[in-house]
Amino acid sequence: WAQSRGQAVWDRSGMAVRMAGSFEDISERKRAEEAAHRSEERYELAVRGTGVGVWDWDVSTGTVFWSEQLKRMLAPGVTAPEPELSIEAFAARIHDDDRERVLEALQQHLNHRAGYRAEYRSRLPDGNFIWVHSRGQAVWDDNGEPVRMAGSCHDITERKEAEVRMAQQADELLRTNRELEQYASIASHDLQEPLRKITSFGELLVRDYSDRLDERGRLLVDRMVDGAQRLRQLIEDLLSYSRSSNDRMRFADVPLADLLAEASNEFELAIAEAGAIITCESDIVLRGDELLLRQMF
């Protein structure tokens, strides 16, 4: 690479008769310019690939430089004239509900040299808004006055919309859980009412007619009353389980043999029909919520 300069001399008729000049090797400068261009190109490609827009604010003049990626993010489709790049234009784009908070965070950074980071809604030329995550760092002069600030903006609209959907789903799940708890409470009450009748009539049968029943008859009535009482307990446990998500677990040492004995009593007929044999080491103790452990078995 060379740079050539020269100056001609003309005669009275205007014909060039002589020319002198210089010839300079500028290869080194050209290589430096090419390296700088490649570095800038790599930076632009990297920024474009991450979807991040870069800005550079000259605090003294109030003007702001936007990278091409930032222009595409905050002013899509705007080609001519160029979008207004001043700090005032930046503030005007911020959603009314977010503007005071963002500008306060910016001012705090300029005054106290704390990191600047903010999430806010920015208005697009078509009137719609996108969510932006912005961060930046200022440079101060020897007197502590800010002279320049550079930073980045990242479009986080998808994340914010996902957060809104998750919050809505959580609210819906909470509402559904409340409805299920109400249903379980009503169902528990309705199911216990006929059980109370079965238990009461069974107890009356034992009290008033036990002398007329043989041993097998009294055994069957006792089993009926006991089964009704255990069914009532199951219904109460089911109601407690429906509320367990809102209750703290009550930890205790629970013998495994006792849990299996209770579960076996509940399924006595099914176990007998299947011919199953349930065995358990008698000295095993579990640590947990007794109600939930019993329901598990």
Side-chain angles (χ1 to χ4, degrees):
W1 277 97
Q3 176 173 279
S4 180
R5 298 180 181 180
Q7 178 63 50
V9 177
W10 298 265
D11 62 17
R12 291 180 180 178
S13 64
M15 296 294 294
V17 294
R18 180 184 176 191
M19 184 173 181
S22 65
F23 191 89
E24 179 185 0
D25 182 353
I26 60 169
S27 299
E28 189 66 29
R29 193 191 80 195
K30 281 293 186 177
R31 281 193 291 269
E33 290 176 355
E34 180 66 17
H37 174 72
R38 289 182 177 274
S39 177
E40 183 178 346
E41 186 179 54
R42 283 194 296 269
Y43 175 74
E44 178 64 25
L45 289 173
V47 168
R48 188 182 306 173
T50 59
V52 174
V54 178
W55 49 269
D56 192 336
W57 175 28
D58 187 330
V59 180
S60 60
T61 64
T63 58
V64 183
F65 161 79
W66 287 10
S67 69
E68 292 302 318
Q69 178 70 16
L70 187 59
K71 292 177 184 178
R72 287 190 291 270
M73 183 190 306
L74 299 183
V78 176
T79 55
E82 283 279 320
E84 173 62 44
L85 305 184
S86 67
I87 189 63
E88 291 77 16
F90 158 75
R93 284 184 172 87
I94 300 176
H95 194 284
D96 292 344
D97 295 341
D98 302 332
R99 186 179 298 113
E100 182 178 354
R101 170 176 54 82
V102 175
L103 295 181
E104 176 64 21
L106 180 61
Q107 192 60 48
Q108 287 293 322
H109 174 66
L110 296 177
N111 289 341
H112 304 287
R113 306 190 182 189
Y116 166 72
R117 181 178 299 181
E119 292 184 356
Y120 58 89
R121 287 159 289 183
S122 182
R123 189 180 67 253
L124 301 179
D126 61 6
N128 293 318
F129 285 87
I130 63 170
W131 274 97
V132 174
H133 176 88
S134 179
R135 62 177 65 191
Q137 178 62 52
V139 177
W140 293 267
D141 61 18
D142 294 339
N143 297 322
E145 295 296 325
V147 294
R148 181 185 175 193
M149 184 172 178
S152 63
C153 289
H154 186 208
D155 186 347
I156 59 170
T157 304
E158 289 187 5
R159 192 197 82 193
K160 282 293 185 178
E161 291 176 347
E163 290 175 356
V164 171
R165 288 194 298 270
M166 289 179 63
Q168 292 173 342
Q169 291 171 356
D171 291 340
E172 179 66 18
L173 183 60
L174 183 61
R175 183 187 63 80
T176 302
N177 284 341
R178 290 198 185 105
E179 290 178 353
L180 287 174
E181 287 183 9
Q182 293 173 356
Y183 172 78
S185 178
I186 294 172
S188 172
H189 179 271
D190 292 344
L191 288 172
Q192 287 187 21
E193 189 58 33
L195 281 177
R196 277 194 288 269
K197 290 184 179 180
I198 295 174
T199 303
S200 298
F201 288 141
E203 291 172 348
L204 288 174
L205 186 62
V206 172
R207 187 190 68 187
D208 298 339
Y209 296 95
S210 60
D211 56 339
R212 305 182 190 181
L213 297 173
D214 58 15
E215 183 176 352
R216 176 173 171 75
R218 287 193 296 272
L219 177 62
L220 292 176
V221 173
D222 288 341
R223 298 287 288 277
M224 178 188 70
V225 173
D226 181 62
Q229 291 175 341
R230 284 189 281 114
L231 181 55
R232 176 186 293 180
Q233 183 62 49
L234 282 174
I235 294 172
E236 291 177 353
D237 289 350
L238 179 61
L239 180 60
S240 298
Y241 179 72
S242 69
R243 298 170 175 165
S244 62
S245 61
N246 298 325
D247 294 338
R248 296 186 61 182
M249 295 181 66
R250 299 172 179 83
F251 285 91
D253 292 330
V254 185
L256 177 59
D258 293 349
L259 291 173
L260 286 181
E262 293 180 19
S264 299
N265 287 335
E266 300 294 344
F267 295 95
E268 182 178 3
L269 292 178
I271 292 172
E273 291 174 357
I277 299 175
I278 300 177
T279 61
C280 171
E281 305 244 355
S282 60
D283 57 348
I284 295 179
V285 176
L286 302 181
R287 180 71 177 172
D289 187 296
E290 182 175 2
L291 170 62
L292 297 180
L293 287 172
R294 184 168 67 248
Q295 289 170 344
M296 179 182 70
F297 283 105

